[in-house]
Amino acid sequence: MTIPVGIEAMNVFGGMAYLDVRELCDHRGLDLPRFENLLMQEKAVALPYEDPITFAVNAAKPIVDRLSEDERGRIEMIITCTESGIDFGKSISTYVQKHLDLPSNCRLFELKQACYSGTAGLQMAVNFVLSQTSPGAKALVIATDISRFALADAAAIQEWAYSEPTSGAGAVAMLVSDQPHVFRLDQGAYGNHAFEVMDTCRPGLDTEAGDADLSLMAYLDCCTAAFEDYSRRVENADFQTTFDQLCFHTPFGGMVKGAHRQLMRKLYKAKPDAIAEDFDRRLAPSLSYGKRVGNTAGGSVFVALAGTIDSVAPHEPIRVGLFSYGSGCCSEFFSGVVTQEGAERLRAMRIPDQLDRRYRLSIAEYENLLSGGAAIRFGTKESVLDHGIIPGAFPENGDGTRLVLERIEGYHRKYIWI
Amino acid sequence: MDANKIAEIIIAEIRETVPELAGQTITEADSMADLGVDSIERSEVILAVMEQLGLKIPMVQLHGPRNIGELADLLHAKSAG
């Protein structure tokens, strides 16, 4: 008997504040007509009292709150997936367990593989469920990443170039189980492609380095090769007809458009009009949340999935093809099915409302965050967070459901619900 | 096909991909980035040239050239190899 498996519940958290990307580009003097190619509108900006832990917990809380005591008790694994870790040893998953009051007989750990980490976490959880070592068990997988830019000097802005407007912040929480209401995975239908390449990396605790051309080339190579591997495993798989919708890892929308165009040319020698029509129909829905939060690294492909499900709101089951890419590099093409029930369950998370409620930062406020010493750096031993740094961004009358960082004592992070 | 001919193909593809460059002189000493060809368009130019040359290799093997002439040389070497 085949056990169904996949995502039982899912939520996206896009932070408490955002910046208008067009405004930032105007301010930086970037060439706007060309900038339209990025297909970006807003980027989430992590406030000093937000970190990958608050993002993770705030993404998962609405899912956990909807569970019965019995269901919550069946969460036996928490996997955090991130390239924004807060410690070389201790994982974010430990803080997640504490603040969501999850069971103590739980396997906690963290995964790192650049932007591929979320998919690695999902597949790990899926295989835990399929193994039936603990029948009926659930796993909580959370991809959480934030980017922080520090305005060291004027040259820094030049160096960031297009990475500043595209880098965002966000977390996606997924409850994985044998009741895949939101996304039923096609078991055995996947393809991988991986090789060593130095396209982007984080060589220091707070630094990122990368080569845009090499990264794009690796992404494109992987997109083709991972789908070829998928086709090798899945009889009659056809990129054009097998999938009703597609979700790609989204550093920015323009990159997804480029990868799609390449595949359509390579596989079908498709003409520009046909490519554009196919993109609008099968990929544009996947950008609806990504263009509001920016690149969320490990969570990006699942931000795309949530965007697709909420935008398309299918009445009939649809098959979705996903392409996940993480620098360095590892990639995977996989697929699954979304039904009307799944769409209704995701809609209940009210992701757009949460995004709409975020505080819009002015350029002056944003630059204050860049230049100030308010951000908590990796390895901070002691600190007390200034919750008033951006008046207006901190909700004075919250309902106690939002976690923020309050202080760090002896490296231990202390949080409060606001 | 020699490297000069490949450079001509590259330049023709740049003009095809970025029509805004019409009227602008493009030589082998130019880099695509300096001409204002963005990263997505650069990859499209390279893919189109690979297609014309019937070259089937990973794109990452074509990373590194600093200008059109160097890219033509590398494509020539890969085509010959």
Side-chain angles (χ1 to χ4, degrees):
Chain A
M1 192 184 87
T2 308
I3 303 158
V5 69
I7 302 170
E8 178 181 328
M10 182 183 192
N11 188 37
V12 173
F13 182 72
M16 293 166 63
Y18 74 95
L19 188 67
D20 185 282
V21 172
R22 178 179 283 269
E23 201 178 339
L24 175 66
C25 289
D26 275 340
H27 181 67
R28 293 278 185 256
L30 289 176
D31 190 3
L32 267 182
R34 315 286 282 174
F35 183 76
E36 294 295 318
N37 296 340
L38 293 178
L39 297 177
M40 292 263 320
Q41 289 173 2
E42 300 164 357
K43 63 176 242 156
V45 178
L47 296 166
Y49 42 85
E50 293 186 289
D51 66 7
I53 293 162
T54 67
F55 269 81
V57 170
N58 290 327
K61 185 171 172 54
I63 294 175
V64 173
D65 283 352
R66 283 172 165 78
L67 298 177
S68 67
E69 273 307 304
D70 284 352
E71 288 170 326
R72 184 190 290 226
R74 290 315 311 271
I75 297 178
E76 297 180 11
M77 186 184 272
I78 303 170
I79 311 175
T80 45
C81 315
T82 188
E83 54 180 75
S84 317
I86 45 93
D87 186 279
F88 286 124
K90 184 173 168 65
S91 93
I92 288 170
S93 58
T94 59
Y95 285 102
V96 171
Q97 183 218 25
K98 174 182 175 172
H99 292 289
L100 293 176
D101 196 21
L102 294 173
S104 51
N105 65 332
C106 208
R107 187 176 284 147
L108 310 179
F109 63 102
E110 190 154 296
L111 273 175
K112 178 190 82 171
Q113 184 55 53
C115 300
Y116 175 70
S117 66
T119 302
L122 173 67
Q123 295 290 16
M124 182 68 64
V126 160
N127 285 303
F128 168 60
V129 172
L130 289 177
S131 74
Q132 289 292 287
T133 51
S134 181
K138 303 176 193 294
L140 182 61
V141 177
I142 311 175
T144 179
D145 271 298
I146 64 170
S147 57
R148 286 202 206 274
F149 289 84
L151 194 58
D153 53 62
I157 294 170
Q158 205 58 40
E159 267 176 42
W160 301 338
Y162 286 91
S163 68
E164 187 192 15
T166 56
S167 296
V172 181
M174 298 177 277
L175 189 65
V176 177
S177 76
D178 56 6
Q179 296 172 58
H181 301 303
V182 173
F183 180 77
R184 192 183 76 235
L185 200 86
D186 293 331
Q187 290 174 39
Y190 68 96
N192 287 113
H193 191 66
F195 56 94
E196 197 282 322
V197 62
M198 199 59 172
D199 56 341
T200 69
C201 62
R202 296 203 182 195
L205 301 176
D206 301 281
T207 54
E208 283 184 62
D211 182 311
D213 279 31
L214 186 57
S215 189
L216 184 52
M217 285 170 160
Y219 182 101
L220 294 176
D221 282 341
C222 281
C223 196
T224 308
F227 182 70
E228 280 171 2
D229 191 44
Y230 180 98
S231 309
R232 189 176 64 77
R233 293 175 198 276
V234 182
E235 210 176 333
N236 300 322
D238 182 278
F239 180 73
Q240 222 169 357
T241 58
T242 302
F243 314 103
D244 301 290
Q245 291 291 317
L246 294 161
C247 298
F248 286 11
H249 166 55
T250 313
F252 52 92
M255 194 142 158
V256 172
K257 202 167 191 175
H260 169 258
R261 191 158 44 208
Q262 180 219 13
L263 270 177
M264 293 295 285
R265 277 174 61 163
K266 209 167 208 168
L267 297 173
Y268 308 103
K269 303 212 178 303
K271 300 290 177 230
D273 286 356
I275 294 173
E277 183 277 324
D278 190 61
F279 181 84
D280 287 345
R281 185 167 53 84
R282 293 200 299 159
L283 270 155
S286 76
L287 305 182
S288 51
Y289 295 148
K291 68 186 175 192
R292 299 193 61 187
V293 292
N295 184 0
T296 51
S300 157
V301 71
F302 303 108
V303 169
L305 178 61
T308 291
I309 296 173
D310 271 350
S311 303
V312 173
H315 295 296
E316 303 287 328
I318 57 166
R319 174 155 281 110
V320 182
L322 293 95
F323 170 63
S324 176
Y325 173 81
S327 291
C329 68
C330 185
S331 69
E332 181 153 344
F333 194 99
F334 60 109
S335 61
V337 173
V338 176
T339 63
Q340 181 171 4
E341 183 205 6
E344 285 164 5
R345 282 174 180 259
L346 187 66
R347 195 179 312 127
M349 293 293 167
R350 306 173 71 92
I351 296 167
D353 292 350
Q354 189 269 312
L355 294 175
D356 290 344
R357 279 200 304 272
R358 297 176 302 172
Y359 179 77
R360 179 176 174 158
L361 291 167
S362 69
I363 290 289
E365 287 170 329
Y366 172 69
E367 297 228 305
N368 181 35
L369 292 177
L370 292 186
S371 57
I376 296 297
R377 298 180 73 88
F378 189 99
T380 295
K381 188 174 180 183
E382 305 286 341
S383 187
V384 177
L385 279 297
D386 175 8
H387 290 159
I389 185 166
I390 307 284
F394 193 88
E396 291 301 327
N397 300 306
D399 59 1
T401 58
R402 182 66 51 83
L403 194 73
V404 296
L405 183 58
E406 186 191 37
R407 62 178 65 237
I408 302 180
E409 290 173 0
Y411 302 110
H412 198 189
R413 294 182 182 224
K414 312 280 182 174
Y415 297 88
I416 51 167
W417 292 102
I418 57 166
Chain B
M1 191 182 296
D2 66 18
N4 288 333
K5 178 73 186 153
I6 294 175
E8 282 174 28
I9 294 173
I10 296 170
I11 291 168
E13 284 298 340
I14 293 172
R15 293 199 181 285
E16 176 86 20
T17 307
V18 192
E20 295 95 320
L21 291 174
Q24 187 166 335
T25 310
I26 303 176
T27 73
E28 290 189 20
D30 290 318
S31 82
M32 283 196 270
D34 290 345
L35 287 169
V37 184
D38 72 29
S39 61
I40 300 281
E41 293 162 342
R42 294 199 285 275
S43 71
E44 284 185 8
V45 168
I46 291 171
L47 279 165
V49 176
M50 285 170 73
E51 208 172 280
Q52 284 208 40
L53 299 178
L55 192 57
K56 292 194 169 98
I57 57 167
M59 280 189 81
V60 290
Q61 291 187 18
L62 296 175
H63 180 258
R66 287 162 298 183
N67 58 36
I68 293 166
E70 288 185 11
L71 176 61
D73 288 341
L74 181 59
L75 282 162
H76 181 249
K78 294 286 183 189
S79 303

